Amino acid sequence: MSKNKRLVGFGLLLIGLLTFQLSFSQDNYISGYVIKSSADTLLGFINYKDKEVNPKYVQFKMRIDDNPIVLNTNDINEFSVGGDIYVKGVVEIENSPIKTERLEENNRVNLKIDTVFLQTLFRGEKSLFFYKNQYGREYFYIEQNNKFELLIYKRYYKRGDNKRLIAENNRYLSQLSLYLNDCEKIKSRLRNTTYKKNSLIRLFKYYYQNSSFDALFQKEKKKVKTEIGILSGVSLTSLNFTSKHSFEYLSEAEYDPSVNFSAGLFIDVILPRNHERWSINNEVLFSTYKFTGSYKEYKNESNYTNTITKICYSYIRINNMIRYKYPVGNMFVYVNAGISNAFSVDETNYKRVESKFYSEDRIDEDLAMTHVRKHEQGYIIGAGVKYNKLSLEIRYEGANGMSEHKGLTSSVKRYFFMLGYKF
């Protein structure tokens, strides 16, 4: 493995470790409340993790400068933070295998009792609750007579025509039909209701829209946000050729780094969970580089060849990156990693051979390379800071360049120094 590849691999590993550490070590105390087992309500600050898995405990402070205390289902009946409400529930958990290769050959449910925090999706005349465990399995509950009732669903195998078929125990549909029977229109909606969070939320929305009751609480779905802006800056590009034969005039030539202007547009798609720390950053950039190199084959003053090459390319680049940002005071620091696809819109691929053989002088002009690619591919890593609408970033990119000849490998390495402005 080459030195450059080792450095890039180390850089990607470093960024991965950094984002992992930041995402799991971050504290985010925001205002909320807890209702203790004694029914006392305490206002304060809760460390809001905003994870998909239901929490097993909360870290709570009465005042922001206090040391946190850890509270679990033994200590509190309910807590609310960041627009979410969690309630303590002594509930049934269905434990049948869910992986297709491990499904049971019967529709019987396997239940155990556990005490957990349920996320409130709807609270009112008819309530809906959600629980997702550390293995990613999802459960839904309704409330009747101050007790939580598990909506039953199970996938299983059944025998048919000498083969096993996957079937479903959809008892949750009959449970919901009975639970929501004061809404006449609900049965038509139940036919298309699956055991999924969004599907059940749509069902309960429809119920409250077509019944005489109003929901006391409805969890708002967090929406994807987008930020659009412009980028401008400079690129520092290095070009290198590798060849075993025939292309010494390229592989042995020295090319000074090319400094050029770059500009474009970005669309940052901000994902709603994890405090909007993660986003998918997409860019369309214009970039260019210009190189001139020379290679001399010298035998004596009367017998030599001097080859001058000019390699100039302009690209429209489409960059797609994953970004993680972390708050520091009133600004953010962030890291990127992703891929780049560049399409050539202008090129100079030129070779001038000046040769002397005793009394004969000769000049030949031709293409420097006979096989070139119009589509350059690469990878990107970078880091930057954001303050209000402005961002400043340094970025490294490695790409495969323009040569498509079997005996000639090209590599392009770039550093970008970019200033961004969000509209």
Side-chain angles (χ1 to χ4, degrees), residues 11 16 21 118 161 206 359:
Q21 178 65 24
L118 300 174
D161 297 329
Y206 185 80
S359 61

PDB file of all heavy atoms in Angstrom, residues 11 16 21 118 161 206 359:
ATOM      1  N   GLY A  11      -6.753   9.100   7.684  1.00  0.00           N
ATOM      2  CA  GLY A  11      -7.630  10.264   7.812  1.00  0.00           C
ATOM      3  C   GLY A  11      -9.089   9.872   7.919  1.00  0.00           C
ATOM      4  O   GLY A  11      -9.837  10.405   8.747  1.00  0.00           O
ATOM      5  N   GLY A  16     -13.892   9.018  11.287  1.00  0.00           N
ATOM      6  CA  GLY A  16     -14.900   8.091  11.792  1.00  0.00           C
ATOM      7  C   GLY A  16     -14.891   7.995  13.311  1.00  0.00           C
ATOM      8  O   GLY A  16     -15.942   8.028  13.952  1.00  0.00           O
ATOM      9  N   GLN A  21     -17.207   9.372  18.540  1.00  0.00           N
ATOM     10  CA  GLN A  21     -17.011   9.875  19.896  1.00  0.00           C
ATOM     11  C   GLN A  21     -17.913  11.064  20.176  1.00  0.00           C
ATOM     12  O   GLN A  21     -18.558  11.147  21.230  1.00  0.00           O
ATOM     13  CB  GLN A  21     -15.545  10.271  20.097  1.00  0.00           C
ATOM     14  CG  GLN A  21     -15.231  10.861  21.479  1.00  0.00           C
ATOM     15  CD  GLN A  21     -15.413   9.866  22.601  1.00  0.00           C
ATOM     16  OE1 GLN A  21     -15.344   8.656  22.382  1.00  0.00           O
ATOM     17  NE2 GLN A  21     -15.651  10.336  23.811  1.00  0.00           N
ATOM     18  N   LEU A 118     -42.398   4.161  27.721  1.00  0.00           N
ATOM     19  CA  LEU A 118     -43.088   4.171  26.434  1.00  0.00           C
ATOM     20  C   LEU A 118     -43.133   5.585  25.884  1.00  0.00           C
ATOM     21  O   LEU A 118     -43.415   6.544  26.611  1.00  0.00           O
ATOM     22  CB  LEU A 118     -44.514   3.642  26.582  1.00  0.00           C
ATOM     23  CG  LEU A 118     -44.685   2.206  27.097  1.00  0.00           C
ATOM     24  CD1 LEU A 118     -46.164   1.909  27.318  1.00  0.00           C
ATOM     25  CD2 LEU A 118     -44.079   1.213  26.127  1.00  0.00           C
ATOM     26  N   ASP A 161     -48.772 -26.769   0.515  1.00  0.00           N
ATOM     27  CA  ASP A 161     -48.303 -27.369  -0.735  1.00  0.00           C
ATOM     28  C   ASP A 161     -46.864 -27.864  -0.618  1.00  0.00           C
ATOM     29  O   ASP A 161     -46.006 -27.599  -1.467  1.00  0.00           O
ATOM     30  CB  ASP A 161     -48.410 -26.360  -1.883  1.00  0.00           C
ATOM     31  CG  ASP A 161     -49.850 -25.937  -2.150  1.00  0.00           C
ATOM     32  OD1 ASP A 161     -50.748 -26.769  -1.921  1.00  0.00           O
ATOM     33  OD2 ASP A 161     -50.053 -24.796  -2.589  1.00  0.00           O
ATOM     34  N   TYR A 206     -56.424   9.906  11.494  1.00  0.00           N
ATOM     35  CA  TYR A 206     -57.721   9.783  10.819  1.00  0.00           C
ATOM     36  C   TYR A 206     -58.838   9.645  11.851  1.00  0.00           C
ATOM     37  O   TYR A 206     -59.923  10.223  11.681  1.00  0.00           O
ATOM     38  CB  TYR A 206     -57.689   8.575   9.884  1.00  0.00           C
ATOM     39  CG  TYR A 206     -58.933   8.414   9.057  1.00  0.00           C
ATOM     40  CD1 TYR A 206     -59.130   9.164   7.912  1.00  0.00           C
ATOM     41  CD2 TYR A 206     -59.912   7.498   9.434  1.00  0.00           C
ATOM     42  CE1 TYR A 206     -60.280   9.013   7.151  1.00  0.00           C
ATOM     43  CE2 TYR A 206     -61.072   7.337   8.690  1.00  0.00           C
ATOM     44  CZ  TYR A 206     -61.252   8.098   7.542  1.00  0.00           C
ATOM     45  OH  TYR A 206     -62.401   7.959   6.795  1.00  0.00           O
ATOM     46  N   SER A 359      22.389  17.785 -37.629  1.00  0.00           N
ATOM     47  CA  SER A 359      22.018  18.994 -38.386  1.00  0.00           C
ATOM     48  C   SER A 359      20.519  19.118 -38.600  1.00  0.00           C
ATOM     49  O   SER A 359      20.036  20.117 -39.153  1.00  0.00           O
ATOM     50  CB  SER A 359      22.725  18.996 -39.754  1.00  0.00           C
ATOM     51  OG  SER A 359      22.336  17.871 -40.521  1.00  0.00           O
TER      52      SER A 359
END
